[in-house]
Amino acid sequence: MQKTVICLTGPTAAGKSAATHAIAAEWPVEIIVMDSATIYRQMDIGTAKPSAEEQASIPHHLLDIRDPAESYSAAAFVSDAQTLIDAIFKRGNYPLLCGGTLLYYKALREGLSDLPESRPDIRAQLDHEALLQGWPAMHAQLAHVDPVTAARLAPNDSQRIQRALEVYRISGRPLSSWILDAKPAPKGASLHYHTVSLEPSQRQVLHARIAARYQTMIEQGLLGEVDALYERGDLGITMPSIRCVGYRQIWDYLEGSCSLDEAIEKAIIATRQLAKRQLTWLRSDAQREVIDCLDEHRAAKVVQSVSQHWPLT
């Protein structure tokens, strides 16, 4: 019998956490967090990580599994998620993927390509070029050699621009061609994935939520959280952890390159850009079930959607 894994996704600030509680009230779920930021320890406020109480009430997996000095990849997520899905079903529970890192979800469902491994020398060279020219110029360079990848990246998305250029310089092939050659996802588990996507009917309302949420993070102590990372001395802006939206802008403030008000405004703008990219990714999945994240009955609609795939007890 084919087993169904539910994925609850959507752009940042869409209200995914609240919807997971509605699902957990009906089924014995364990949450597999699908997020490239909440994997890091010491990064709680700016990642909107579930509270200790939330983690105690519903099992969460893949939180706090890396130090900010370490890296994590889509391949690592696929391996971890596959192991967890199998174990959760064996325990008689239901695996609920929840998060907005859609590259992880795509890799889990569709498989991975054998991308070239990262090379520190090329990354250092790209960082140096970006320091001289700026990331928008690097984005233009990417558009020349890999227009498909460049079209889905923002001009200041330094981490992804760097990786795409790195792959091209190592292999001579654009990243988009590697993705087309992805290995099919393993079929052994005979899993079906049902995607429930919380998306806004009014983009400006989501933008207001994003701004309000970031201001709340500042009030909760985000500045102190980033300062603690800054004072460690072993972290830097080239690392994926510090490049997380909302962190890198405060890092710039701590380095003296902008005022705190400017950093906050830049972080809000960057988060809006992230939400736009997430929505672009989601629209490529024609089979997802879309629920308006601004609908007051959204939780009930999420439960109704899930009930088509998991039996109510």
Side-chain angles (χ1 to χ4, degrees), residues 201-243:
S201 54
Q202 300 177 65
R203 189 78 64 88
Q204 66 270 25
V205 177
L206 182 67
H207 288 176
R209 277 191 185 183
I210 287 170
R213 187 173 76 158
Y214 196 75
Q215 290 290 352
T216 298
M217 289 175 176
I218 294 295
E219 293 166 8
Q220 291 173 337
L222 178 59
L223 181 58
E225 183 171 270
V226 182
D227 186 59
L229 297 170
Y230 188 82
E231 291 299 324
R232 278 182 38 163
D234 63 333
L235 304 175
I237 200 65
T238 61
M239 295 179 175
S241 58
I242 306 305
R243 287 184 177 181

Side-chain angles (χ1 to χ4, degrees), residues 74-75 78 82 103-116 173 175-187:
V78 170
Q82 288 173 338
L103 174 63
Y104 286 2
Y105 190 39
K106 180 180 175 68
L108 180 62
R109 288 195 307 171
E110 301 177 17
L112 288 159
S113 52
D114 290 322
L115 289 173
R173 289 176 55 193
L175 176 64
S176 53
S177 75
W178 284 94
I179 292 173
L180 286 173
D181 292 339
K183 293 179 180 177
K187 301 295 183 182

Side-chain angles (χ1 to χ4, degrees), residues 9-301:
T9 188
T12 186
K16 295 183 288 292
S17 297
T20 62
H21 286 275
I23 297 173
E26 301 291 342
W27 293 275
V29 301
E30 298 184 36
I31 298 171
I32 300 173
V33 182
M34 191 173 68
D35 190 293
S36 61
T38 56
I39 60 169
Y40 293 113
R41 296 184 287 274
Q42 301 175 272
M43 295 174 60
D44 302 330
I45 298 171
T47 63
K49 193 175 293 179
S51 67
E53 293 76 14
E54 289 173 314
Q55 293 183 48
S57 64
I58 310 170
H60 286 68
H61 302 282
L62 304 186
L63 292 174
D64 299 320
I65 59 171
R66 291 289 189 276
D67 181 83
E70 299 173 325
S71 61
Y72 193 63
S73 66
F77 173 80
V78 170
S79 177
D80 290 342
Q82 288 173 338
T83 299
L84 285 164
I85 288 167
D86 184 54
I88 291 167
F89 274 126
K90 285 181 179 177
R91 286 193 284 269
N93 295 331
Y94 293 101
L96 173 63
L97 292 167
C98 184
T101 301
L102 297 161
L103 174 63
Y104 286 2
Y105 190 39
K106 180 180 175 68
L108 180 62
R109 288 195 307 171
E110 301 177 17
L112 288 159
S113 52
D114 290 322
L115 289 173
E117 291 188 9
S118 179
R119 280 182 45 183
D121 59 327
I122 291 180
R123 290 213 159 191
Q125 181 184 32
L126 289 166
D127 280 333
H128 180 68
E129 291 177 27
L131 186 64
L132 297 175
Q133 304 174 32
W135 284 108
M138 302 299 285
H139 182 266
Q141 184 183 137
L142 177 63
H144 181 69
V145 298
D146 187 356
V148 173
T149 299
R152 65 177 178 82
L153 300 181
N156 285 306
D157 191 351
S158 57
Q159 183 176 350
R160 292 175 178 83
I161 293 169
Q162 182 191 59
R163 178 55 176 156
L165 285 170
E166 178 189 36
V167 168
Y168 180 78
R169 292 191 184 184
I170 291 171
S171 67
R173 289 176 55 193
L175 176 64
S176 53
S177 75
W178 284 94
I179 292 173
L180 286 173
D181 292 339
K183 293 179 180 177
K187 301 295 183 182
S190 187
L191 297 175
H192 169 66
Y193 292 92
H194 175 62
T195 309
V196 182
S197 183
L198 294 171
E199 300 177 24
S201 54
Q202 300 177 65
R203 189 78 64 88
Q204 66 270 25
V205 177
L206 182 67
H207 288 176
R209 277 191 185 183
I210 287 170
R213 187 173 76 158
Y214 196 75
Q215 290 290 352
T216 298
M217 289 175 176
I218 294 295
E219 293 166 8
Q220 291 173 337
L222 178 59
L223 181 58
E225 183 171 270
V226 182
D227 186 59
L229 297 170
Y230 188 82
E231 291 299 324
R232 278 182 38 163
D234 63 333
L235 304 175
I237 200 65
T238 61
M239 295 179 175
S241 58
I242 306 305
R243 287 184 177 181
C244 288
V245 169
Y247 283 83
R248 63 176 303 155
Q249 292 79 17
I250 299 298
W251 195 275
D252 288 342
Y253 160 69
L254 294 173
E255 290 193 324
S257 60
C258 64
S259 70
L260 181 57
D261 286 345
E262 289 171 334
I264 291 171
E265 182 60 25
K266 288 178 180 179
I268 291 170
I269 291 170
T271 309
R272 289 173 182 166
Q273 292 170 339
L274 170 62
K276 181 179 179 180
R277 293 195 300 274
Q278 289 169 320
L279 286 166
T280 299
W281 271 82
L282 287 165
R283 290 189 186 114
S284 68
D285 182 0
Q287 296 183 337
R288 77 195 189 286
E289 182 169 354
V290 178
I291 294 174
D292 185 359
C293 67
L294 307 180
D295 187 332
E296 61 178 326
H297 303 297
R298 60 191 175 277
K301 290 183 177 181

